[in-house]
Amino acid sequence: MVVVGVVLIVLALTVVVVAPRVLTRAAWTIDRPRTALVSWSAAVLVGVAGFVAGITLVVVAGRPATDPFAVRGSPAHGLNVGVALVAVVAFVIAVRVRPGPEQDAVRRAMHSGATPHREIGGVPVALVEADHALACAVPGRAGGVLVSTGLADQLRTDELEAVVAHERAHLSQHHGIAVAVAESIERAVPWVPGARAMARSTRVLVEFAADDAAARRLGRDAVRRAVLVADGTSALGVVRASRLEG
Ligand SMILES: [Zn+2]
């Protein structure tokens, strides 16, 4: 059992080390962002589950089924169990997912009585009075889609619907969770290059995946025009627009 446990731990660590390398360097992720996001979520799940299962096997190895943790048995084994538990708790605390403070600010803005809501492409959207171009999606029951008047005023109807469809895709495909998990891992082990690359590529992949979802509803051209108006000056905006060409 100890051997199986050690093998599981090694396999889990291999998955965690290899997955970011494969996923952040492969060109196909640009064309299939959704597949890439699902693959890396699966890799993280497999890695964490394998790690926990491996530690458990090593800890309970050779113990009778009636008292697998043998807490009443040898003090040395009790210590092992304690160390394993502390390691798992430390891991959970280190990578725990926290919503950003900016999400609270957006939620407050959406629910203040002064913010008008408008139906855009069948979706109730909070229209916030602001000069700069802004669109975002906040997950959860108190969440939704928010667009600034500065952006809405610059867009044609189909472009505005494309922006809303893009933000809706972030919500329905749970991109917030993928980004939060990747950023939590990055915070927990910032010295691991794969963790930084993973977080960076997750932030990009969710934008590609949301663009693709919007393009399926409104067409690639409407989404491309909307991206150029909303985000045409950033490097990511330029890449997003060129992905949608043709
Ligand atoms: Zn987006």
Side-chain angles (χ1 to χ4, degrees):
M1 273 230 286
V2 176
V3 176
V4 178
V6 171
V7 168
L8 268 178
I9 292 173
V10 170
L11 274 181
L13 292 176
T14 308
V15 166
V16 169
V17 169
V18 170
R21 281 169 194 276
V22 173
L23 288 169
T24 55
R25 288 187 198 160
W28 64 266
T29 58
I30 294 170
D31 296 323
R32 324 233 25 192
R34 190 89 207 273
T35 314
L37 282 171
V38 171
S39 316
W40 94 245
S41 305
V44 167
L45 275 182
V46 167
V48 171
F51 187 71
V52 171
I55 283 193
T56 310
L57 278 180
V58 169
V59 167
V60 304
R63 296 289 139 188
T66 47
D67 186 16
F69 292 101
V71 186
R72 283 169 284 125
S74 83
H77 193 73
L79 189 68
N80 281 352
V81 174
V83 168
L85 280 178
V86 168
V88 170
V89 169
F91 181 81
V92 170
I93 290 174
V95 303
R96 77 185 188 283
V97 176
R98 288 169 283 203
E102 69 281 359
Q103 294 204 347
D104 289 333
V106 173
R107 274 201 189 96
R108 271 199 303 280
M110 292 178 78
H111 295 284
S112 96
T115 304
H117 282 64
R118 201 169 111 195
E119 188 114 337
I120 299 170
V123 179
V125 173
L127 267 184
V128 173
E129 198 75 42
D131 290 337
H132 60 279
L134 170 81
C136 61
V138 181
R141 237 186 307 163
V145 176
L146 175 148
V147 175
S148 71
T149 50
L151 177 61
D153 292 346
Q154 293 180 66
L155 296 172
R156 287 164 39 178
T157 307
D158 61 341
E159 295 165 357
L160 185 53
E161 287 180 5
V163 166
V164 173
H166 171 105
E167 297 303 329
R168 285 276 294 176
H170 281 319
L171 296 178
S172 64
Q173 297 180 11
H174 306 291
H175 290 162
I177 295 176
V179 172
V181 168
E183 290 181 345
S184 298
I185 294 174
E186 184 189 27
R187 270 198 306 273
V189 286
W191 59 88
V192 177
R196 277 204 311 275
M198 200 74 247
R200 209 180 322 119
S201 106
T202 304
R203 285 188 287 265
V204 173
L205 288 173
V206 296
E207 295 310 322
F208 291 172
D211 284 343
D212 291 349
R216 281 193 291 275
R217 295 189 56 170
L218 281 308
R220 295 162 80 86
D221 194 52
V223 182
R224 192 183 61 83
R225 282 183 273 119
V227 168
L228 286 174
V229 173
D231 196 24
T233 53
S234 83
L236 178 57
V238 171
V239 175
R240 285 170 60 198
S242 72
R243 260 185 94 244
L244 294 159
E245 258 160 30

